[in-house]
Amino acid sequence: MTPGDRARGAEVGRFEDEGLLRGTTRFVRDLRRDDCAHVAYVRSPVASGRIRSICTGGATAVPGVVAVLTAADLGLAPFSYYEAVPDELARPPLAADRVRMVGELVAAVVADTAAVAVDAAELVEVDIEPTDSVAVDARRATDEDAPALFDRPEGNVVMRYDRGHVDDLFDLAAHVERGSYPNQRLASAPMEPCAAVVRPAGDGLDVWATGQGVHTIRQELARIVGLDPHLVRVRSPAVGGGFGGRHSTPIEILVLGAVARHLSRAVTWEATRLENLLSMVHGRAQDHTVEMGFDDDGLIVGLRVHNLADCGAYPHFGPLMPFMSRKLACGPYRVPRVDYSWTAVATNTNPVGPYRGAGQPEATNGLERTIENAARSLGLDPLDLRRRNMVTPAEMPFTTPTGLTYDGGRYAAALDRAAELIGYDEVRAEQVERRRQGDTTALGVGFASYVSVVDTSSELGSVEVGDDGRIAVRCGTFSHGQAHRTTVTTVVAGILGVAAADVHYGDGDSAALDHGSGTGGSRSAMMAGGAARLAAEAVLDRARTVAARLLEADPADIVASVAGDGTSGLGVVGVPTSTLGWDALASAAAADNQPLAASIDYEPTGMAHPSGTHASVVEVDVETGLVRLRSHVAVDDCGTVLNRPVVEGQQHGGSAAGVAQALYEEVAYDDRGNPRSVTFADYLMPSAAELTSFTTATMDIPSPVSATGAKGIGENGAIAAPTSVQNAAVDALSHLGVTHVDLPLRPERVWRAIRAAWPGEPRGWPGQAGPS
């Protein structure tokens, strides 16, 4: 076995697991906080209204209360997370004169203990005059008579994209398939709700916080309190998940920084689960109206989409989501022309931002539901229609009408592999037999093929070998469940010829690296791995020069080697006794004022595009509408697999999130804007008991634009699984005339769709044929 073989991903288990399993991993709530005052937030109980007054006297009189702070006390300017959002739509960190959603921050209560802060917050009297009506439904929010959240000529329309209607788009079409496909609002609901500790430190701040990137928190916190970013140090210990909900800094943590500055003392805040479901940015909330034309051979001639995106009360990153949906509108198919428009609107609900896929699941859903329905309209097998239209490897790199250039993929091969693993022919045969017998447990099989995109914002990585031979790697991403330590050390170990366990990994400290883009958009294997690889290669080149001088050899003959005592280092090829350990190499390099260290700002030559196909088999009780997932297959192309257990874990987690969207999860509001999903009794997150075992496979096609060959895997399951399950459920009921059921596929909704398509009694339903 060569030294590099010891670092191969298939042989390296997750290093992160031991601390999690033994309970020794530290989270924010495990940090010392005995010097901190505790903050509880007073929130608006109504979705829309004018603030008449805020009376804090009752709260400030409570023993142990340090202060009750309002907008007038902190004087914070309205804050916008996304630079494209118009200034007048920026969010007041604390509401001053108007509230636009239930849960909007109105005041911060600071006390010696969390219990006192929470109790005192109940005594703050906020007098709000509710408006007569609210805008909750995005479709109605665009009406001329809709109640406006902001005083502006555009009303509730935040942003529009429309390059003009293409009148002749379907002139060559023999059939045009049409449909409307809403994606419900979802909550990220990470295992750990948000928490932070903020301490004044000289002229700046020292911060510990949950997040997805410490440099993002640093920049946003510095901006809201008016500090130079380098005066703010942000660290994150272990964080219990994010899924996009922590992509930007929660408004509560930004206000916490201002409170610490205002009082010149350490403060801390911990979100409850209710606060998490109420105020952490939500995801999805898009409605796609799709038209797709086909010629006589079943080939796509054009695609038209209008996307209505709900941004919530403050746009946040909401307008970016339909932008992403447009980019991925073509999926894996050869679509010659696209007419895509979108409208982003404000509603009296919690802001919408990225959630595992960030616009891509919605695009895949509209596209794949249309493909599935078109296949039935055209009398074709859904797999056959997909194959006819899929981009082939010979056409790569392939540029879509929406401006993406696919770097490579074998889309039809992934589809075929998914069909094989799900047992497509056998399921179809069983379906025929069940229908022949009039079985009231209907069987269906569905597929969803997808192409996604990796966030390739530049990333910083550094590798350094100390005088003691200790190899350290740091990256500007942040691991909050993705096992970056395992993946990145595997990459570095493979370059330097050491065991992955001997490489020390660090992230989550803004003082350790000047900048970083954080984690999100399935980027870390490609971007952190790529930056670390290039930095390790630079260190290796320098170490070869040092070794060649010490061993009086040609640098080209210097290779990774292992001494007889097991010491890893460099030596002359074919002469293992010549091995110099990394400690000796680092000391020699330092003596020459050329330390074995390198930092790389990695920018790839193009964008990487993961792809694949998911397949699902479901059973539907036609008498109750209950949908049960029987099996699910994920075939994903994430490029080079750097670590097999990590990739499989992401495939399982992503698929579970996708199945949850399909069958269970939904953030709901009533017509007055009151949230109805603020506990896990109402927001139905499934446990393992509600899921099935997933079958996974990878295509392993290296990306030519990636330094490691890796693409991305974190979001793939959430992109494809919702639609494969939905397609399977509709397929199960297709013989009854059901052509669509909105997500989530809850029993009552499915039951109503069945009754609408076939109003007769269950025992009178047909076997093979449905109503005409």
Side-chain angles (χ1 to χ4, degrees):
M1 178 184 292
T2 66
D5 288 333
R6 293 187 296 168
R8 286 181 181 168
E11 299 181 27
V12 178
R14 283 171 43 108
F15 297 131
E16 294 82 356
D17 290 346
E18 182 173 355
L20 294 171
L21 293 172
R22 293 182 180 275
T24 58
T25 299
R26 292 200 314 161
F27 296 81
V28 170
R29 289 164 175 80
D30 299 316
L31 302 177
R32 182 186 67 82
R33 292 180 290 165
D34 50 11
D35 62 329
C36 291
H38 294 257
V39 172
Y41 288 106
V42 180
R43 299 174 183 270
S44 171
V46 300
S48 179
R50 298 280 179 183
I51 298 177
R52 291 193 182 112
S53 64
I54 304 174
C55 181
T56 63
T60 55
V62 174
V65 169
V66 175
V68 180
L69 304 174
T70 65
D73 299 308
L74 295 180
L76 300 176
F79 190 85
S80 180
Y81 291 92
Y82 183 34
E83 60 185 13
V85 171
D87 291 342
E88 66 268 23
L89 303 182
R91 178 175 184 171
L94 293 175
D97 55 4
R98 182 170 178 178
V99 294
R100 296 179 173 89
M101 63 180 185
V102 172
E104 184 163 2
L105 301 188
V106 176
V109 177
V110 189
D112 292 336
T113 69
V116 171
V118 170
D119 288 345
E122 295 288 336
L123 300 178
V124 175
E125 298 176 14
V126 183
D127 185 6
I128 300 175
E129 180 184 4
T131 57
D132 292 334
S133 58
V134 298
V136 177
D137 188 305
R139 288 177 290 268
R140 296 181 57 191
T142 59
D143 294 344
E144 289 186 5
D145 60 347
L149 275 75
F150 299 90
D151 297 325
R152 54 198 295 267
E154 299 88 346
N156 294 325
V157 175
V158 174
M159 209 174 293
R160 292 185 192 273
Y161 177 93
D162 190 350
R163 293 292 176 87
H165 191 73
V166 182
D167 293 326
D168 64 348
L169 187 65
F170 300 131
D171 282 1
L172 300 178
H175 172 73
V176 179
E177 190 68 34
R178 295 179 172 88
S180 179
Y181 307 105
N183 263 238
Q184 77 272 34
R185 179 183 286 249
L186 300 176
S188 298
M191 184 178 293
E192 179 190 17
C194 293
V197 177
V198 183
R199 294 182 174 93
D203 293 330
L205 294 173
D206 185 86
V207 181
W208 289 88
T210 54
Q212 292 183 210
V214 290
H215 296 92
T216 298
I217 300 173
R218 182 184 71 177
Q219 293 296 118
E220 293 175 345
L221 193 52
R223 180 154 59 94
I224 200 168
V225 299
L227 285 174
D228 183 306
H230 290 91
L231 292 175
V232 179
R233 182 184 185 183
V234 178
R235 286 171 284 181
S236 291
V239 172
F243 312 112
R246 304 191 211 266
H247 181 270
S248 51
T249 312
I251 199 72
E252 293 90 346
I253 294 179
L254 298 182
V255 173
L256 192 72
V259 170
R261 291 267 290 169
H262 183 81
L263 298 177
S264 298
R265 67 174 296 177
V267 291
T268 184
W269 168 72
E270 298 178 22
T272 64
R273 179 58 66 186
L274 184 150
E275 288 179 303
N276 166 252
L277 292 172
L278 178 70
S279 64
M280 177 178 271
V281 291
H282 294 154
R284 308 293 188 261
Q286 291 187 17
D287 191 341
H288 290 213
T289 301
V290 182
E291 298 175 277
M292 181 178 282
F294 298 84
D295 67 15
D296 288 326
D297 296 320
L299 299 179
I300 299 169
V301 300
L303 171 67
R304 176 177 290 129
V305 180
H306 180 70
N307 179 356
L308 180 63
D310 185 348
C311 294
Y314 299 100
H316 200 84
F317 278 92
L320 184 60
M321 302 303 104
F323 172 84
M324 290 294 297
S325 297
R326 176 189 172 272
K327 284 290 188 182
L328 276 300
C330 299
Y333 304 113
R334 199 182 301 103
V335 182
R337 294 199 297 169
V338 174
D339 178 354
Y340 199 107
S341 60
W342 54 264
T343 304
V345 301
T347 62
N348 292 112
T349 59
N350 192 53
V352 172
Y355 166 64
R356 206 164 192 170
Q360 299 173 91
E362 300 93 313
T364 298
N365 182 256
L367 182 65
E368 289 297 281
R369 287 293 299 119
T370 303
I371 287 285
E372 199 85 2
N373 283 342
R376 293 190 179 92
S377 299
L378 296 169
L380 296 173
D381 186 291
L383 302 189
D384 181 34
L385 184 60
R386 288 182 171 90
R387 291 189 193 101
R388 294 185 189 194
N389 288 283
M390 281 179 162
V391 177
T392 66
E395 296 173 273
M396 297 292 182
F398 182 85
T399 300
T400 71
T402 59
L404 294 181
T405 298
Y406 296 162
D407 54 326
R410 296 169 54 208
Y411 305 149
L415 175 66
D416 292 342
R417 180 68 171 142
E420 174 191 356
L421 291 174
I422 204 72
Y424 184 62
D425 293 339
E426 293 81 1
V427 173
R428 283 294 186 213
E430 182 181 353
Q431 182 186 63
V432 168
E433 181 60 21
R434 287 197 186 193
R435 291 179 178 181
R436 187 188 67 80
Q437 295 178 359
D439 197 329
T440 56
T441 302
L443 184 70
V445 58
F447 293 79
S449 298
Y450 72 95
V451 174
S452 66
V453 63
V454 174
D455 177 356
T456 51
S457 305
S458 66
E459 193 53 78
L460 181 61
S462 71
V463 174
E464 181 177 5
V465 183
D467 290 348
D468 58 357
R470 183 177 185 268
I471 299 170
V473 55
R474 286 192 172 275
C475 294
T477 52
F478 177 66
S479 184
H480 47 282
Q482 297 87 350
H484 291 180
R485 176 190 169 196
T486 301
T487 301
V488 175
T489 58
T490 296
V491 171
V492 172
I495 298 298
L496 301 182
V498 300
D502 294 335
V503 179
H504 300 267
Y505 179 78
D507 65 4
D509 186 351
S510 66
L513 288 177
D514 180 67
H515 56 276
S517 297
T519 292
S522 300
R523 67 189 309 269
S524 297
M526 177 178 175
M527 299 306 300
R533 178 187 178 93
L534 295 177
E537 288 175 344
V539 166
L540 178 62
D541 287 344
R542 189 171 299 170
R544 276 180 171 152
T545 300
V546 173
R549 176 174 58 81
L550 296 176
L551 297 173
E552 299 180 347
D554 190 317
D557 293 331
I558 301 298
V559 296
S561 62
V562 180
D565 62 358
T567 301
S568 297
L570 300 180
V572 179
V573 62
V575 188
T577 55
S578 66
T579 298
L580 295 172
W582 282 105
D583 53 348
L585 292 168
S587 296
D592 293 339
N593 292 318
Q594 293 288 327
L596 297 184
S599 293
I600 299 291
D601 253 322
Y602 173 47
E603 294 189 25
T605 57
M607 302 184 79
H609 294 279
S611 61
T613 294
H614 283 220
S616 307
V617 173
V618 305
E619 292 181 324
V620 183
D621 186 330
V622 299
E623 296 179 325
T624 65
L626 180 66
V627 179
R628 184 181 72 86
L629 181 66
R630 193 171 84 171
S631 56
H632 183 83
V633 165
V635 179
D636 298 300
D637 172 21
C638 60
T640 300
V641 174
L642 302 179
N643 184 281
R644 183 69 61 181
V646 170
V647 166
E648 289 177 351
Q650 290 293 326
Q651 288 180 290
H652 282 253
S655 296
V659 172
Q661 178 181 356
L663 298 180
Y664 303 105
E665 296 183 17
E666 182 176 26
V667 173
Y669 290 85
D670 68 17
D671 58 5
R672 294 295 301 167
N674 296 304
R676 297 164 53 196
S677 315
V678 292
T679 73
F680 283 146
D682 309 299
Y683 188 81
L684 303 182
M685 176 182 286
S687 70
E690 283 77 46
L691 302 173
T692 185
S693 296
F694 301 130
T695 300
T696 62
T698 56
M699 298 299 293
D700 302 357
I701 302 170
S703 170
V705 304
S706 170
T708 61
K711 299 176 184 176
I713 190 61
E715 298 168 300
N716 303 26
I719 290 170
T723 308
S724 68
V725 173
Q726 188 180 22
N727 281 339
V730 174
D731 177 70
L733 303 173
S734 60
H735 66 302
L736 301 177
V738 174
T739 59
H740 181 72
V741 184
D742 284 348
L743 299 175
L745 303 170
R746 291 185 177 166
E748 180 183 359
R749 182 172 289 169
V750 175
W751 182 85
R752 291 187 181 281
I754 294 170
R755 290 302 184 275
W758 188 262
E761 290 299 318
R763 299 194 184 283
W765 290 344
Q768 292 282 9
S772 59

